[in-house]
Amino acid sequence: MMHMISATLEFLASGSLQRHVASTYRISKQRLGPIIEQTCRAIFEELKGSFMKPPTKDEWIEIENEYNGLWNFPNTIGAIDGKHVGYHNIVLMGLAAADYRFLFIDVGGYGSESDSQVFRSCELGRALYGELLDLPDDTTVFGKNMPLSRARRCIENSFGILCARWACLARTLFMKPERAQVIVAACCTLHNFLIKKCTDIYSPPGFADYVDIDGIVVEGSWRIRVPDNSMFNTSITQQIQNPNVSVGNEIRNHLSAFVNSIQGSLDWQRSSVFLD
């Protein structure tokens, strides 16, 4: 059992070809594939209940407080994005917390779909539109009742750290879709586990992007570890007709007014964008 776990973790973390990992453990490449799939499925099933369970209403509020405290962005319960995964161009849709944990993942959309199409059809989208997520009520921002929103840098760092630490995602996964899906799910769950249990080793200070005392965003060191052909450098965004675009524009404009107001602005933000 231990050699199965060791071989799987080496494949996930090193990014080595299956045949190289197989030779190290003196097993055939044909045997290693099923071992990786079975072990990743067991990892995901074992960890998801503790490290990727749906938040409760109180936990959503904690997530919103973390976003507001760390990033000065109110009414935010997650940042969402999608990436292409594997030879068959399946999509990983992820929702990230302010500390770069994945609150939700869906692996299985088709690369020909736009991000909004993938979102609408995934479990999170269906639960959100069906009002099944036990979200807290909208709150007032700058004198106006606003829904919970998002902040993009967190999901960018979540995917970046994921790809830097789990190097199997830095190359195309030439395998059947079902195996690729369970590998990605296991990597995301291990990512959450390590963020919670040993952040100082897995994502030490400076590994993710941060804002210095002058308000300048300093890019994290994970960026030099992610190759050009990794999952991180893909995108599923496409231009499509969106019937709710006017609502989105209204929210964006109101938040823009808030972060440029006396109540919502920070001392350094004008100098950081050369407005002084």
Side-chain angles (χ1 to χ4, degrees):
M1 176 62 72
M2 288 305 300
H3 79 281
M4 294 174 62
I5 297 174
S6 297
T8 299
L9 291 177
E10 182 169 338
F11 170 77
L12 299 180
S14 70
S16 297
L17 296 173
Q18 286 190 47
R19 63 174 180 270
H20 293 161
V21 177
S23 64
T24 300
Y25 289 86
R26 296 185 178 181
I27 55 179
S28 68
K29 175 187 172 183
Q30 292 73 20
R31 176 59 183 146
L32 179 62
I35 287 175
I36 291 173
E37 181 174 352
Q38 293 163 14
T39 306
C40 283
R41 194 177 303 279
I43 289 171
F44 178 69
E45 293 298 329
E46 180 66 25
L47 295 180
K48 69 176 183 179
S50 299
F51 299 97
M52 202 177 288
K53 61 181 179 180
T56 64
K57 180 175 288 188
D58 288 341
E59 288 170 338
W60 284 122
I61 294 173
E62 290 178 10
I63 292 165
E64 191 275 336
N65 289 336
E66 288 178 353
Y67 264 106
N68 205 18
L70 290 172
W71 300 107
N72 194 44
F73 208 84
N75 280 34
T76 304
I77 57 167
I80 192 167
D81 199 4
K83 298 294 181 183
H84 291 295
V85 179
Y87 176 74
H88 295 279
N89 212 20
I90 57 179
V91 171
L92 164 63
M93 180 70 75
L95 180 73
D99 63 355
Y100 312 128
R101 288 178 297 117
F102 289 103
L103 299 169
F104 174 87
I105 61 168
D106 184 88
V107 193
Y110 295 101
S112 60
E113 297 177 320
S114 69
D115 51 358
S116 60
Q117 289 172 318
V118 172
F119 178 71
R120 281 197 299 267
S121 62
C122 75
E123 183 181 348
L124 174 62
R126 294 194 302 271
L128 182 62
Y129 288 120
E131 300 183 354
L132 303 176
L133 291 180
D134 197 25
L135 296 177
D137 296 332
D138 297 347
T139 59
T140 300
V141 176
F142 203 37
K144 184 174 181 179
N145 209 38
M146 296 287 286
L148 295 164
S149 187
R150 62 182 182 176
R152 177 169 178 78
R153 185 169 293 276
C154 291
I155 188 63
E156 183 178 7
N157 277 270
S158 297
F159 280 133
I161 296 168
L162 178 74
C163 290
R165 290 306 192 193
W166 304 103
C168 67
L169 302 177
R171 63 168 67 247
T172 302
L173 296 172
F174 289 101
M175 56 188 64
K176 61 183 182 179
E178 294 81 6
R179 185 169 296 167
Q181 289 167 351
V182 74
I183 285 173
V184 174
C187 288
C188 292
T189 314
L190 287 166
H191 167 92
N192 281 7
F193 172 79
L194 293 168
I195 285 281
K196 278 292 189 182
K197 294 296 185 180
C198 49
T199 304
D200 290 343
I201 297 174
Y202 184 72
S203 183
F207 196 68
D209 297 352
Y210 65 95
V211 179
D212 67 15
I213 58 174
D214 296 318
I216 305 299
V217 175
V218 180
E219 293 190 340
S221 59
W222 63 259
R223 294 178 181 275
I224 64 175
R225 302 183 57 167
V226 175
D228 292 338
N229 62 337
S230 76
M231 178 191 75
F232 175 79
N233 292 300
T234 67
S235 176
I236 64 170
T237 302
Q238 297 176 8
Q239 294 294 325
I240 63 168
Q241 289 296 112
N242 186 347
N244 296 317
V245 67
S246 61
V247 177
N249 286 339
E250 181 182 356
I251 294 171
R252 180 196 63 193
N253 293 337
H254 189 76
L255 287 173
S256 176
F258 168 73
V259 299
N260 285 287
S261 69
I262 295 175
Q263 297 96 318
S265 63
L266 298 174
D267 294 339
W268 47 259
Q269 71 183 45
R270 290 187 176 276
S271 60
S272 70
V273 292
F274 309 105
L275 293 179
D276 280 347

Short mmCIF file of all heavy atoms in Angstrom, two decimals, residues 15-44:
data_model
loop_
_atom_site.label_atom_id
_atom_site.label_comp_id
_atom_site.label_asym_id
_atom_site.label_seq_id
_atom_site.Cartn_x
_atom_site.Cartn_y
_atom_site.Cartn_z
N GLY A 15 6.08 15.68 -11.66
CA GLY A 15 5.80 15.92 -13.07
C GLY A 15 6.54 14.99 -14.00
O GLY A 15 6.54 15.19 -15.22
N SER A 16 7.17 13.96 -13.44
CA SER A 16 7.90 13.00 -14.26
C SER A 16 6.94 12.16 -15.10
O SER A 16 5.76 11.99 -14.75
CB SER A 16 8.74 12.06 -13.38
OG SER A 16 9.72 12.78 -12.65
N LEU A 17 7.43 11.65 -16.21
CA LEU A 17 6.63 10.75 -17.03
C LEU A 17 6.31 9.48 -16.25
O LEU A 17 7.08 9.04 -15.39
CB LEU A 17 7.38 10.40 -18.30
CG LEU A 17 7.66 11.57 -19.27
CD1 LEU A 17 8.55 11.10 -20.41
CD2 LEU A 17 6.36 12.14 -19.81
N GLN A 18 5.17 8.89 -16.57
CA GLN A 18 4.76 7.68 -15.86
C GLN A 18 5.81 6.57 -15.99
O GLN A 18 6.04 5.84 -15.02
CB GLN A 18 3.42 7.18 -16.41
CG GLN A 18 2.23 8.01 -15.98
CD GLN A 18 0.91 7.36 -16.34
OE1 GLN A 18 0.71 6.17 -16.10
NE2 GLN A 18 0.00 8.13 -16.93
N ARG A 19 6.43 6.47 -17.15
CA ARG A 19 7.41 5.38 -17.32
C ARG A 19 8.62 5.57 -16.42
O ARG A 19 9.22 4.59 -15.96
CB ARG A 19 7.83 5.26 -18.78
CG ARG A 19 8.55 6.45 -19.36
CD ARG A 19 9.03 6.12 -20.78
NE ARG A 19 9.74 7.22 -21.40
CZ ARG A 19 9.16 8.16 -22.14
NH1 ARG A 19 7.84 8.11 -22.34
NH2 ARG A 19 9.87 9.13 -22.67
N HIS A 20 8.99 6.84 -16.15
CA HIS A 20 10.12 7.08 -15.26
C HIS A 20 9.77 6.72 -13.82
O HIS A 20 10.58 6.11 -13.10
CB HIS A 20 10.54 8.54 -15.35
CG HIS A 20 11.10 8.93 -16.67
ND1 HIS A 20 11.20 10.23 -17.10
CD2 HIS A 20 11.62 8.18 -17.68
CE1 HIS A 20 11.73 10.27 -18.30
NE2 HIS A 20 11.99 9.03 -18.68
N VAL A 21 8.57 7.11 -13.38
CA VAL A 21 8.14 6.77 -12.03
C VAL A 21 7.99 5.27 -11.88
O VAL A 21 8.40 4.67 -10.88
CB VAL A 21 6.81 7.48 -11.68
CG1 VAL A 21 6.32 7.07 -10.29
CG2 VAL A 21 6.98 9.00 -11.76
N ALA A 22 7.44 4.64 -12.91
CA ALA A 22 7.24 3.18 -12.87
C ALA A 22 8.56 2.44 -12.73
O ALA A 22 8.68 1.48 -11.95
CB ALA A 22 6.51 2.72 -14.13
N SER A 23 9.58 2.89 -13.46
CA SER A 23 10.88 2.22 -13.38
C SER A 23 11.51 2.39 -12.01
O SER A 23 12.20 1.48 -11.52
CB SER A 23 11.82 2.77 -14.46
OG SER A 23 12.11 4.15 -14.24
N THR A 24 11.28 3.53 -11.37
CA THR A 24 11.82 3.76 -10.02
C THR A 24 11.25 2.76 -9.03
O THR A 24 11.96 2.27 -8.13
CB THR A 24 11.50 5.20 -9.56
OG1 THR A 24 12.08 6.13 -10.46
CG2 THR A 24 12.01 5.45 -8.15
N TYR A 25 9.98 2.43 -9.20
CA TYR A 25 9.31 1.51 -8.27
C TYR A 25 9.23 0.08 -8.81
O TYR A 25 8.55 -0.76 -8.24
CB TYR A 25 7.91 2.05 -7.94
CG TYR A 25 7.95 3.28 -7.07
CD1 TYR A 25 8.09 4.55 -7.62
CD2 TYR A 25 7.91 3.17 -5.68
CE1 TYR A 25 8.16 5.69 -6.83
CE2 TYR A 25 7.97 4.30 -4.88
CZ TYR A 25 8.10 5.55 -5.46
OH TYR A 25 8.17 6.67 -4.67
N ARG A 26 9.90 -0.13 -9.92
CA ARG A 26 10.02 -1.46 -10.51
C ARG A 26 8.66 -2.09 -10.80
O ARG A 26 8.38 -3.25 -10.47
CB ARG A 26 10.85 -2.39 -9.61
CG ARG A 26 12.28 -1.92 -9.45
CD ARG A 26 13.12 -2.89 -8.65
NE ARG A 26 14.49 -2.44 -8.55
CZ ARG A 26 15.46 -3.08 -7.92
NH1 ARG A 26 15.18 -4.25 -7.32
NH2 ARG A 26 16.68 -2.60 -7.89
N ILE A 27 7.79 -1.27 -11.38
CA ILE A 27 6.51 -1.77 -11.86
C ILE A 27 6.33 -1.31 -13.30
O ILE A 27 7.03 -0.39 -13.76
CB ILE A 27 5.33 -1.27 -11.00
CG1 ILE A 27 5.33 0.27 -10.92
CG2 ILE A 27 5.37 -1.87 -9.61
CD1 ILE A 27 4.20 0.83 -10.11
N SER A 28 5.44 -1.91 -14.02
CA SER A 28 5.25 -1.54 -15.42
C SER A 28 4.46 -0.24 -15.54
O SER A 28 3.67 0.12 -14.65
CB SER A 28 4.50 -2.65 -16.16
OG SER A 28 3.16 -2.75 -15.71
N LYS A 29 4.67 0.46 -16.64
CA LYS A 29 3.91 1.69 -16.89
C LYS A 29 2.42 1.37 -16.96
O LYS A 29 1.59 2.15 -16.47
CB LYS A 29 4.37 2.30 -18.20
CG LYS A 29 3.55 3.51 -18.63
CD LYS A 29 3.93 3.98 -20.02
CE LYS A 29 2.98 5.07 -20.51
NZ LYS A 29 3.27 5.50 -21.89
N GLN A 30 2.07 0.23 -17.54
CA GLN A 30 0.66 -0.17 -17.67
C GLN A 30 0.02 -0.38 -16.29
O GLN A 30 -1.15 -0.08 -16.09
CB GLN A 30 0.53 -1.44 -18.50
CG GLN A 30 0.88 -1.27 -19.97
CD GLN A 30 2.37 -1.11 -20.23
OE1 GLN A 30 3.20 -1.48 -19.40
NE2 GLN A 30 2.71 -0.57 -21.40
N ARG A 31 0.79 -0.87 -15.34
CA ARG A 31 0.27 -1.09 -13.99
C ARG A 31 0.20 0.22 -13.21
O ARG A 31 -0.70 0.41 -12.38
CB ARG A 31 1.17 -2.10 -13.25
CG ARG A 31 0.81 -2.34 -11.80
CD ARG A 31 -0.59 -2.87 -11.64
NE ARG A 31 -0.94 -3.03 -10.24
CZ ARG A 31 -2.15 -2.85 -9.75
NH1 ARG A 31 -3.14 -2.45 -10.55
NH2 ARG A 31 -2.39 -3.03 -8.47
N LEU A 32 1.14 1.14 -13.47
CA LEU A 32 1.18 2.38 -12.70
C LEU A 32 -0.06 3.23 -12.94
O LEU A 32 -0.58 3.86 -12.01
CB LEU A 32 2.43 3.18 -13.06
CG LEU A 32 2.58 4.52 -12.32
CD1 LEU A 32 2.69 4.29 -10.81
CD2 LEU A 32 3.78 5.31 -12.84
N GLY A 33 -0.56 3.29 -14.18
CA GLY A 33 -1.72 4.12 -14.48
C GLY A 33 -2.91 3.83 -13.58
O GLY A 33 -3.45 4.75 -12.93
N PRO A 34 -3.36 2.57 -13.49
CA PRO A 34 -4.46 2.24 -12.57
C PRO A 34 -4.13 2.51 -11.11
O PRO A 34 -5.02 2.89 -10.34
CB PRO A 34 -4.69 0.75 -12.83
CG PRO A 34 -4.19 0.53 -14.22
CD PRO A 34 -3.01 1.43 -14.38
N ILE A 35 -2.87 2.31 -10.71
CA ILE A 35 -2.47 2.60 -9.33
C ILE A 35 -2.67 4.08 -9.02
O ILE A 35 -3.23 4.46 -7.98
CB ILE A 35 -1.00 2.19 -9.08
CG1 ILE A 35 -0.88 0.67 -9.01
CG2 ILE A 35 -0.47 2.81 -7.79
CD1 ILE A 35 0.54 0.17 -8.89
N ILE A 36 -2.22 4.94 -9.93
CA ILE A 36 -2.37 6.38 -9.73
C ILE A 36 -3.85 6.75 -9.64
O ILE A 36 -4.26 7.52 -8.76
CB ILE A 36 -1.69 7.16 -10.88
CG1 ILE A 36 -0.17 7.01 -10.78
CG2 ILE A 36 -2.09 8.63 -10.85
CD1 ILE A 36 0.59 7.58 -11.96
N GLU A 37 -4.65 6.22 -10.54
CA GLU A 37 -6.08 6.54 -10.54
C GLU A 37 -6.75 6.09 -9.25
O GLU A 37 -7.50 6.85 -8.63
CB GLU A 37 -6.76 5.89 -11.74
CG GLU A 37 -8.24 6.20 -11.83
CD GLU A 37 -8.87 5.66 -13.11
OE1 GLU A 37 -8.14 5.18 -14.00
OE2 GLU A 37 -10.11 5.71 -13.22
N GLN A 38 -6.48 4.85 -8.82
CA GLN A 38 -7.12 4.33 -7.60
C GLN A 38 -6.68 5.11 -6.37
O GLN A 38 -7.49 5.43 -5.49
CB GLN A 38 -6.77 2.85 -7.44
CG GLN A 38 -7.37 1.95 -8.51
CD GLN A 38 -6.71 0.59 -8.58
OE1 GLN A 38 -5.97 0.20 -7.67
NE2 GLN A 38 -6.96 -0.15 -9.66
N THR A 39 -5.39 5.44 -6.30
CA THR A 39 -4.87 6.15 -5.13
C THR A 39 -5.40 7.58 -5.08
O THR A 39 -5.77 8.08 -4.02
CB THR A 39 -3.33 6.15 -5.15
OG1 THR A 39 -2.84 4.82 -5.26
CG2 THR A 39 -2.78 6.76 -3.87
N CYS A 40 -5.45 8.24 -6.23
CA CYS A 40 -5.99 9.61 -6.28
C CYS A 40 -7.46 9.63 -5.89
O CYS A 40 -7.92 10.53 -5.17
CB CYS A 40 -5.81 10.20 -7.67
SG CYS A 40 -4.13 10.75 -8.03
N ARG A 41 -8.19 8.63 -6.33
CA ARG A 41 -9.61 8.56 -5.96
C ARG A 41 -9.75 8.38 -4.44
O ARG A 41 -10.61 9.02 -3.80
CB ARG A 41 -10.29 7.41 -6.69
CG ARG A 41 -11.82 7.45 -6.63
CD ARG A 41 -12.42 6.30 -7.44
NE ARG A 41 -11.98 6.32 -8.82
CZ ARG A 41 -12.49 7.10 -9.76
NH1 ARG A 41 -13.45 7.94 -9.46
NH2 ARG A 41 -12.03 7.05 -11.00
N ALA A 42 -8.89 7.55 -3.85
CA ALA A 42 -8.93 7.33 -2.41
C ALA A 42 -8.54 8.59 -1.65
O ALA A 42 -9.15 8.92 -0.62
CB ALA A 42 -8.00 6.17 -2.04
N ILE A 43 -7.53 9.32 -2.14
CA ILE A 43 -7.11 10.57 -1.51
C ILE A 43 -8.25 11.58 -1.50
O ILE A 43 -8.56 12.20 -0.48
CB ILE A 43 -5.87 11.15 -2.23
CG1 ILE A 43 -4.63 10.30 -1.95
CG2 ILE A 43 -5.63 12.60 -1.81
CD1 ILE A 43 -3.43 10.67 -2.80
N PHE A 44 -8.89 11.73 -2.65
CA PHE A 44 -9.99 12.69 -2.77
C PHE A 44 -11.15 12.32 -1.85
O PHE A 44 -11.68 13.17 -1.12
CB PHE A 44 -10.46 12.76 -4.22
CG PHE A 44 -11.62 13.71 -4.41
CD1 PHE A 44 -11.46 15.07 -4.30
CD2 PHE A 44 -12.89 13.21 -4.71
CE1 PHE A 44 -12.52 15.94 -4.47
CE2 PHE A 44 -13.97 14.07 -4.88
CZ PHE A 44 -13.78 15.44 -4.77
#
